[in-house]
C-alpha cells in the first residue's frame, strides 16, 4: 500500500463536495484508521503494486476506507464501522475518482459526464471501473460496503464505483443479500462493530469491453466482523465467504477459518484481520 488517495463522492449536485488528501498509507490519512478495530490495518501480504488506499469522505466527514486495485479495477476490501438504523434506498448516480485519473486534479468525486466538461477527450478508465463497464453485462454492481449498514451521509457515500465489484445477480439479490440483512440484525446488538468486506479476484475472468479486459470478476466475496460491548471489549466475531456464482450459498465461519480460506484462495500470507484477533 503505497499511496493513500482520498476518495471523493457527490450524491447530488447541490450537496457540498467531498474532499480528501493524498498520503502514503492509511496510517497517514486523516481519520482513516478510525474504520479499523483499534486502528490496525489488516496484516496481509497483499501485493503493493497496483493498489491505492482510499479514505472516503463526504460532507466534511470520512465514512469508510478502501484498498483498491487499479489493475483489476475492483477493491481488495473496504473497512467500515457499522451504523444502526440504516436502511435501504439507492442513489441515482455512480461516481468516479478524478485523482485516479490524474493526481493533480481536484479532490471531489464527480459524475463522469460532469468531469468530462472540464477534461474533454481524456479517458477516465485507465485505473478505475466506469459505469459503462457494467452496462449490458450479466453482473450487478455489487456493493462491498453495503449501504444498508449505514445511515445518512455514510449510506450515500457507498455509491461509488470503487466500492463495487461485478457480482453474480442471483448471489447479490439472494443469499448474499440475506447474509447482509442477517448480519445487520446481529450487529445491532453490538455497542460498536468493525467490519471488513472484500473480493478475491479471479485469475482470468473479466468483463470485456471492445475486446479489452476491463473489470476483474472475483471468484469470491468475503466478510469479517468484530463486535464490541459498551466498554469496548470484543464479545463476538465471525465471517463469511461465498463463491461468486448463481448456485451458491454463503458459508459462515470463524475469523480463524476465514483467514485460512483467504490464504488458500489468494495464495498470500494473511497474518491477522483484526487486532488481537478481535479478542480481549
Amino acid at each position: 500500500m503505497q499511496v493513500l488517495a482520498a476518495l471523493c463522492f457527490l450524491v447530488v449536485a447541490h450537496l457540498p463536495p467531498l474532499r480528501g488528501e493524498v498520503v502514503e498509507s492509511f496510517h497517514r490519512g486523516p481519520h482513516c484508521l478510525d474504520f479499523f478495530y483499534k486502528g490496525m490495518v489488516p496484516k496481509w501480504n497483499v501485493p503493493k503494486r497496483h493498489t491505492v488506499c482510499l479514505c472516503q469522505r463526504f460532507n466534511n466527514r470520512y465514512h469508510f476506507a478502501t484498498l483498491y486495485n487499479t489493475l483489476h479495477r475492483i477493491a481488495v476490501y473496504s473497512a467500515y464501522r457499522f451504523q444502526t438504523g440504516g436502511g435501504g434506498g439507492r442513489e441515482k448516480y455512480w461516481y468516479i475518482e478524478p485523482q485516479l485519473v490524474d493526481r493533480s486534479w481536484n479532490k471531489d468525486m464527480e459524475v463522469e459526464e460532469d468531469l468530462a466538461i472540464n477534461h474533454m477527450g481524456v479517458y477516465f478508465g485507465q485505473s478505475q471501473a466506469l459505469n459503462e463497464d457494467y452496462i449490458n453485462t450479466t453482473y450487478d454492481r455489487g456493493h462491498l460496503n453495503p449501504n444498508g449498514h449505514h445511515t445518512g451521509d455514510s449510506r450515500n457515500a457507498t455509491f461509488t464505483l470503487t466500492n463495487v465489484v461485478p457480482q453474480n445477480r442471483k448471489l447479490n439479490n439472494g443469499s448474499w443479500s440475506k447474509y447482509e440483512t442477517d448480519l445487520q440484525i446481529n450487529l445491532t446488538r453490538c455497542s460498536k462493530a468493525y467490519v471488513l468486506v472484500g473480493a478475491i479476484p479471479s485469475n482470468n475472468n473479466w468483463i470485456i469491453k471492445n475486446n479489452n479486459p476491463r473489470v476483474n470478476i472475483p471468484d469470491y466475496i468475503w466478510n469479517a466482523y468484530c463486535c464490541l460491548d459498551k466498554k469496548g471489549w470484543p464479545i463476538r466475531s465471525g465471517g463469511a465467504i461465498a463463491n461468486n456464482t448463481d448456485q451458491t450459498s454463503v458459508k459462515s465461519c470463524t475469523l480463524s477459518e476465514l483467514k485460512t480460506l483467504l490464504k488458500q484462495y489468494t495464495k498470500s500470507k494473511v497474518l491477522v484481520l483484526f487486532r488481537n484477533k478481535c479478542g480481549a
Side-chain angles (χ1 to χ4, degrees):
M1 293 178 283
Q2 298 174 333
V3 180
L4 179 65
L7 182 62
C8 312
F9 172 72
L10 288 176
V11 179
V12 287
H14 66 274
L15 289 175
L18 305 174
R19 292 180 174 82
E21 297 75 26
V22 176
V23 294
E24 293 180 0
S25 72
F26 285 126
H27 295 83
R28 298 192 179 186
H31 305 291
C32 287
L33 293 181
D34 292 349
F35 306 107
F36 299 93
Y37 173 54
K38 290 191 173 181
M40 194 209 80
V41 177
K43 295 182 179 179
W44 181 357
N45 290 344
V46 176
K48 295 181 179 180
R49 189 179 181 186
H50 304 302
T51 59
V52 294
C53 301
L54 308 174
C55 191
Q56 301 180 101
R57 172 173 159 168
F58 172 68
N59 256 358
N60 297 319
R61 287 196 307 114
Y62 294 91
H63 298 280
F64 61 102
T66 299
L67 182 64
Y68 190 74
N69 187 298
T70 59
L71 176 64
H72 294 148
R73 301 183 184 92
I74 60 173
V76 178
Y77 63 73
S78 283
Y80 64 93
R81 291 194 307 267
F82 174 78
Q83 295 173 303
T84 58
R90 300 191 65 84
E91 287 302 314
K92 296 180 180 179
Y93 308 103
W94 293 95
Y95 300 88
I96 63 171
E97 171 54 55
Q99 289 196 340
L100 287 181
V101 183
D102 189 317
R103 297 304 169 93
S104 68
W105 287 9
N106 68 62
K107 302 171 184 178
D108 305 342
M109 179 59 67
E110 297 185 42
V111 177
E112 182 180 350
E113 290 78 3
D114 295 339
L115 190 63
I117 294 175
N118 295 321
H119 301 283
M120 294 184 63
V122 178
Y123 179 59
F124 302 140
Q126 184 65 36
S127 299
Q128 63 188 310
L130 303 177
N131 193 50
E132 65 190 44
D133 293 323
Y134 286 88
I135 295 176
N136 296 324
T137 73
T138 60
Y139 291 92
D140 280 352
R141 301 168 188 82
H143 276 69
L144 289 181
N145 178 0
N147 67 309
H149 286 195
H150 296 276
T151 186
D153 287 345
S154 292
R155 180 166 64 93
N156 297 334
T158 64
F159 285 85
T160 165
L161 289 171
T162 53
N163 181 47
V164 302
V165 300
Q167 192 168 8
N168 180 279
R169 288 177 178 171
K170 288 187 178 180
L171 175 65
N172 188 35
N173 297 306
S175 56
W176 192 257
S177 177
K178 182 179 184 302
Y179 172 77
E180 290 178 333
T181 300
D182 291 344
L183 182 61
Q184 179 178 346
I185 296 172
N186 183 21
L187 296 184
T188 56
R189 303 186 183 102
C190 310
S191 178
K192 182 182 291 186
Y194 292 86
V195 186
L196 298 169
V197 58
I200 299 175
S202 61
N203 287 329
N204 195 28
N205 191 16
W206 297 75
I207 289 178
I208 305 294
K209 294 289 182 176
N210 298 320
N211 296 319
N212 294 315
R214 282 291 305 156
V215 186
N216 186 277
I217 301 168
D219 283 338
Y220 297 91
I221 311 295
W222 61 270
N223 169 283
Y225 67 88
C226 180
C227 175
L228 312 179
D229 65 14
K230 292 182 180 179
K231 295 182 179 180
W233 292 100
I235 53 178
R236 62 179 176 276
S237 63
I241 193 166
N243 195 292
N244 190 25
T245 66
D246 60 2
Q247 296 180 352
T248 187
S249 59
V250 177
K251 174 181 173 58
S252 295
C253 51
T254 66
L255 290 181
S256 179
E257 290 169 339
L258 178 63
K259 187 180 75 169
T260 299
L261 290 172
L262 292 178
K263 180 179 180 181
Q264 174 186 342
Y265 294 147
T266 64
K267 295 179 174 58
S268 60
K269 194 171 184 179
V270 184
L271 298 176
V272 62
L273 296 174
F274 297 109
R275 184 179 293 278
N276 298 330
K277 301 178 182 178
C278 186

